[in-house]
Amino acid sequence: MCVTTQAFSPFLIFSVCIGFSFGLLYPRESETRDVRSLDGLWNFRTDQKGMGILQNWEATFLSETGPTEIMPVPSSYNDITAKSSVRDHIGLVWYDRKFFTPRDWALEGRKVFIRFGSIHYYAYVWINGVLVTTHEGGHLPFEEDITAFLNFGKSYDHITVAINNTLTPTTIPQGQVKFMNDSKRYPKGYMEQSFNFDFFNYAGIHRSVLLYTTPPVYIEDISIFTSFTKERGTNDNTGIIWYDVSVANPGYSENSVESAITCRINVYEGWDLNGAGVNTTALVATAMGCNSVVEIPKVKLWWPFLMDSNPGFLYTLEILLNKDGSKDVYRMPAGVRTIEWKNNEFLINKKSFYFHGFGRHEDSNIIGRGESLPLAVKDSSLINWIGANSFRTSHYPYSEKIMDLADRLGIVVIDECPAIGINNFTQSVLLEKHKRIMTELIQRDKNRPSVVLWSLSNEPLSQEKGADVYFSTLVNHTKALDSSRPVTFVTSQQSSNDKAVQFMDVICVNRYSSWYSDTGHSDLIVRQTISEMSAWHEKFNKPIIMSEYGAGSISGFHSEPSFLWTEEYQAITLKKHFEAFDILRQKGFLIGEMIWNFADFATPAEYFRPGGCMKGVFTRERKPKLAAHITRRRYWSLANSSFHVPLPEDLLI
Ligand code: GCB
């Protein structure tokens, strides 16, 4: 959808494009849709050398092909068992289970889809022995219409999923498998997987597996774009939502008489986190047409946490589709807000916004990268406690449940693609894949008010040949899909040699002063941070976010004077950076600071990492280190000085 907003409102003139021809709406129950979860205990086994494919394991129950384990879904499989052969497995693993499809799902021409929230990395899916879909790339959803393959109440159905976690130079992220041919040192066929990132390459069915139904003619996709304008003579604003509903199977007709498709849009105040129905007395606006605009008088804007006393306000957008006798109803959350960016400022709802938050990981004990509601809510609660207003989905898209919480709580998100540490930019296959993954990411998150910036990559080798063409192509691709949000990638290069930053709207820089360079010299942090960030701004005249900085600490390690790995050294590293940021803010181009990392996380076996990356201000179990208290003082003080938010009474430092 491209809209010139002047066409709908006399107060605004600019054009925005957002939209796609395919849909991946989150499955939600309604009067016309059913949703069933296939989460639970599945059967699981590892596969040596692709035997399962050769022997057609999908044709029978996995338990009949050899010994299986019990595997919870969703979860990474790596840390569930007590076997290193499962944790460190390279190659294919197999899952299967039975399920039951209700008889009435076969009625009225309904369609049944299967939707996976994320499988890492390559997935094959069979229903009753028939390959129904494959998907490449973790962290993003995919789905398939499986109506034709189900038994609908006659007997059970059987689903088999095979997953390959191998990363290669043309996967995103990239990796390499090395075969060790020295027979004096390695047994025959020994291989090792390496990659250009430090987090553990968790794999498995990471997010929920859902079955859902739609009517034969159904709402396939919705794109929205929001804005607001002052109501004449009052202090109120009118909210404006441009929307575009795409309809699947529009030619279908029960009685083969062509009839028109109609869409009605109702907007209600508030959003039920489960999307279950609306309070009809809260209706605030309504519109007709599948591609139009709806205006909300006296709109309640979506504000970031700490910028307003009612952050993350969401409306319910109810879409009612009617074609012939076939109706469809879909409800989704919508927040009304604007974003703008200049060479020295980022604005949300026309007010200056300063990012203070974290880079995070989806990572925890036992479940690895598996989706966990308790963990998502706990992390949101700690983000709230510490006074952060934002995070980056380093280094891949996070689960829709985490993103729903960000929308609801007003946490601002930099949404990152899984292209970490990529290189070799002359391969068109890599670029095409990267473009496809950006398309899938924008498709999933385009309507989220929390998402304000797309990140194409973390620390690519952007000083290398071809990085300029590669990244300018990606920026153009991203902007063609969504011109309403700025684009960035996160660099670890120098302003003097980076070839890709020139194409970005916002510069994100990772730097580990006194950790990876001048190790132990925290006295150099202020000088180095100021001179480096100033150099980026002088060269490119763009706003800058320091997207990573920090130091590792092992919870419980202390020393005075401070020393590497102690909680004191991590705390001093952060404090020195805060000092530099205050000076840079006076200079007027720093628009954000993000600590690496929110919590400690798992890495592969490495002699220089004591059981993981320990740069979290919380431990992996989410216990605060000294750094968490220092950060809490900093982040609430920032909110206090910008928006008069009172400091919490229980600040320890
Ligand atoms: C970085 C990476 C991040 C690492 C971090 C570190 O620059 O972006 O993924 O975890 O450094 O601790 O080494």
Side-chain angles (χ1 to χ4, degrees):
M1 163 180 67
C2 283
V3 290
T4 300
T5 62
Q6 193 193 18
F8 300 111
S9 160
F11 310 111
L12 297 163
I13 309 174
F14 58 91
S15 87
V16 159
C17 296
I18 185 162
F20 303 84
S21 55
F22 66 95
L24 256 182
L25 291 178
Y26 191 80
R28 291 203 175 93
E29 283 175 338
S30 75
E31 297 82 329
T32 58
R33 295 172 172 235
D34 278 337
V35 181
R36 274 202 178 191
S37 167
L38 294 187
D39 294 354
L41 299 178
W42 291 48
N43 307 302
F44 171 90
R45 72 173 290 201
T46 55
D47 177 352
Q48 305 305 326
K49 300 182 187 149
M51 286 310 286
I53 299 278
L54 293 175
Q55 295 172 356
N56 296 103
W57 287 358
E58 76 281 0
T60 177
F61 296 117
L62 211 49
S63 56
E64 288 171 15
T65 67
T68 57
E69 323 252 358
I70 295 170
M71 191 54 69
V73 170
S75 152
S76 298
Y77 59 74
N78 309 78
D79 293 344
I80 297 294
T81 76
K83 299 176 183 167
S84 63
S85 59
V86 172
R87 185 190 60 201
D88 302 331
H89 181 75
I90 306 169
L92 281 169
V93 298
W94 292 71
Y95 287 71
D96 87 339
R97 66 163 282 170
K98 293 184 206 164
F99 64 96
F100 202 76
T101 310
R103 189 188 310 273
D104 62 359
W105 281 15
L107 306 177
E108 299 152 4
R110 289 192 209 186
K111 288 177 175 294
V112 183
F113 289 85
I114 188 156
R115 187 196 202 258
F116 295 86
S118 152
I119 288 186
H120 186 72
Y121 174 79
Y122 198 98
Y124 306 79
V125 181
W126 292 266
I127 300 286
N128 297 324
V130 181
L131 183 67
V132 292
T133 190
T134 62
H135 184 259
E136 177 174 353
H139 321 289
L140 286 166
F142 61 96
E143 66 178 18
E144 191 58 45
D145 176 354
I146 54 168
T147 321
F149 309 102
L150 296 168
N151 287 321
F152 294 108
K154 288 198 204 104
S155 69
Y156 59 79
D157 288 300
H158 176 220
I159 177 168
T160 309
V161 176
I163 303 174
N164 193 343
N165 68 352
T166 315
L167 300 180
T168 73
T170 59
T171 57
I172 290 185
Q174 292 165 312
Q176 251 156 4
V177 174
K178 239 169 94 190
F179 287 91
M180 310 309 227
N181 294 327
D182 180 351
S183 62
K184 287 195 215 89
R185 306 186 62 203
Y186 303 98
K188 194 164 182 281
Y190 201 85
M191 54 182 180
E192 284 177 9
Q193 164 90 76
S194 63
F195 22 72
N196 201 9
F197 52 86
D198 71 342
F199 51 89
F200 193 91
N201 187 32
Y202 280 115
I205 304 181
H206 278 156
R207 298 180 191 152
S208 282
V209 184
L210 300 174
L211 293 174
Y212 74 94
T213 66
T214 68
V217 183
Y218 62 97
I219 299 160
E220 185 181 40
D221 194 18
I222 302 151
S223 299
I224 63 168
F225 169 73
T226 69
S227 183
F228 62 91
T229 176
K230 266 253 150 310
E231 283 173 17
R232 282 182 207 282
T234 74
N235 283 331
D236 295 322
N237 292 306
T238 296
I240 306 164
I241 304 180
W242 289 270
Y243 64 87
D244 188 13
V245 177
S246 56
V247 178
N249 211 8
Y252 176 92
S253 175
E254 257 190 353
N255 45 24
S256 48
V257 179
E258 269 300 305
S259 71
I261 289 174
T262 60
C263 294
R264 181 190 170 95
I265 307 300
N266 293 326
V267 183
Y268 300 88
E269 268 204 14
W271 167 248
D272 174 300
L273 270 176
N274 297 306
V278 287
N279 172 3
T280 45
T281 59
L283 182 71
V284 289
T286 183
M288 291 303 293
C290 297
N291 176 332
S292 187
V293 61
V294 59
E295 298 202 354
I296 307 171
K298 296 188 180 20
V299 68
K300 293 185 179 163
L301 296 177
W302 185 95
W303 284 102
F305 174 51
L306 299 171
M307 252 175 118
D308 189 80
S309 55
N310 190 11
F313 187 85
L314 295 174
Y315 288 92
T316 300
L317 211 63
E318 180 179 66
I319 298 104
L320 308 166
L321 174 82
N322 198 341
K323 156 96 200 248
D324 214 346
S326 182
K327 291 190 182 4
D328 191 16
V329 183
Y330 187 82
R331 298 185 183 89
M332 59 178 266
V336 178
R337 58 108 181 93
T338 59
I339 52 174
E340 290 157 80
W341 57 100
K342 304 182 177 163
N343 66 345
N344 58 358
E345 208 180 6
F346 198 93
L347 299 133
I348 297 186
N349 299 337
K350 305 185 197 305
K351 282 198 190 166
S352 197
F353 177 77
Y354 184 72
F355 296 77
H356 45 93
F358 296 94
R360 297 171 65 184
H361 265 295
E362 285 184 313
D363 171 275
S364 84
N365 219 358
I366 302 173
I367 58 174
R369 195 145 292 128
E371 179 171 66
S372 153
L373 272 181
L375 183 69
V377 176
K378 176 74 185 180
D379 283 356
S380 300
S381 152
L382 291 175
I383 285 173
N384 196 284
W385 173 84
I386 210 165
N389 64 5
S390 52
F391 64 83
R392 173 166 62 112
T393 70
S394 42
H395 296 304
Y396 39 77
Y398 290 178
S399 95
E400 284 151 298
K401 286 169 185 154
I402 296 179
M403 302 299 281
D404 285 349
L405 286 167
D407 283 339
R408 182 62 196 80
L409 300 173
I411 308 300
V412 170
V413 178
I414 302 176
D415 209 354
E416 187 157 285
C417 164
I420 178 168
I422 54 166
N423 59 31
N424 204 347
F425 299 109
T426 48
Q427 307 174 79
S428 60
V429 56
L430 192 74
L431 179 59
E432 287 313 310
K433 237 175 244 181
H434 202 153
K435 280 161 71 179
R436 178 180 58 74
I437 291 174
M438 279 311 299
T439 306
E440 288 181 18
L441 172 61
I442 297 170
Q443 171 63 35
R444 192 193 74 162
D445 289 346
K446 64 189 167 180
N447 294 330
R448 294 189 177 279
S450 59
V451 174
V452 302
L453 182 54
W454 301 118
S455 167
L456 303 172
S457 175
N458 180 71
E459 298 189 358
L461 304 195
S462 49
Q463 79 285 15
E464 276 191 353
K465 185 167 153 259
D468 42 2
V469 176
Y470 186 97
F471 278 96
S472 68
T473 312
L474 264 183
V475 170
N476 292 340
H477 175 77
T478 306
K479 296 238 169 197
L481 294 172
D482 178 11
S483 64
S484 74
R485 292 177 177 90
V487 179
T488 190
F489 80 97
V490 175
T491 185
S492 59
Q493 299 307 320
Q494 305 296 326
S495 54
S496 54
N497 67 0
D498 188 286
K499 291 191 164 70
V501 157
Q502 56 179 314
F503 306 109
M504 306 300 143
D505 299 306
V506 173
I507 304 179
C508 288
V509 183
N510 293 351
R511 207 55 98 223
Y512 287 90
S513 185
S514 92
W515 187 260
Y516 290 128
S517 61
D518 297 302
T519 311
H521 294 272
S522 55
D523 52 320
L524 297 174
I525 290 172
V526 177
R527 170 186 292 268
Q528 292 184 352
T529 307
I530 292 175
S531 59
E532 280 213 42
M533 297 305 133
S534 304
W536 282 102
H537 186 68
E538 271 154 32
K539 180 154 182 195
F540 294 103
N541 193 25
K542 294 182 182 193
I544 297 180
I545 298 175
M546 186 137 187
S547 40
E548 283 183 27
Y549 67 99
S553 74
I554 299 173
S555 174
F557 270 37
H558 295 280
S559 99
E560 200 50 58
S562 72
F563 200 67
L564 236 60
W565 296 112
T566 64
E567 293 196 37
E568 285 78 8
Y569 190 79
Q570 183 187 29
I572 282 175
T573 302
L574 299 189
K575 276 195 99 165
K576 290 284 177 192
H577 278 90
F578 300 159
E579 227 178 292
F581 297 150
D582 285 341
I583 297 168
L584 286 167
R585 288 190 79 193
Q586 295 290 322
K587 291 180 168 234
F589 56 82
L590 190 75
I591 61 161
E593 52 186 84
M594 289 191 158
I595 296 168
W596 190 257
N597 188 285
F598 176 72
D600 296 343
F601 60 88
T603 57
E606 283 165 338
Y607 59 84
F608 55 90
R609 300 214 198 249
C613 180
M614 311 308 270
K615 294 193 183 76
V617 304
F618 296 99
T619 64
R620 202 177 186 212
E621 296 71 34
R622 277 45 179 184
K623 307 267 190 258
K625 302 182 191 171
L626 179 57
H629 294 286
I630 302 270
T631 305
R632 190 169 184 234
R633 156 68 65 180
R634 164 81 181 169
Y635 283 1
W636 281 97
S637 301
L638 286 171
N640 177 267
S641 58
S642 304
F643 302 107
H644 311 292
V645 178
L647 294 179
E649 282 172 9
D650 61 349
L651 281 176
L652 286 188
I653 293 173

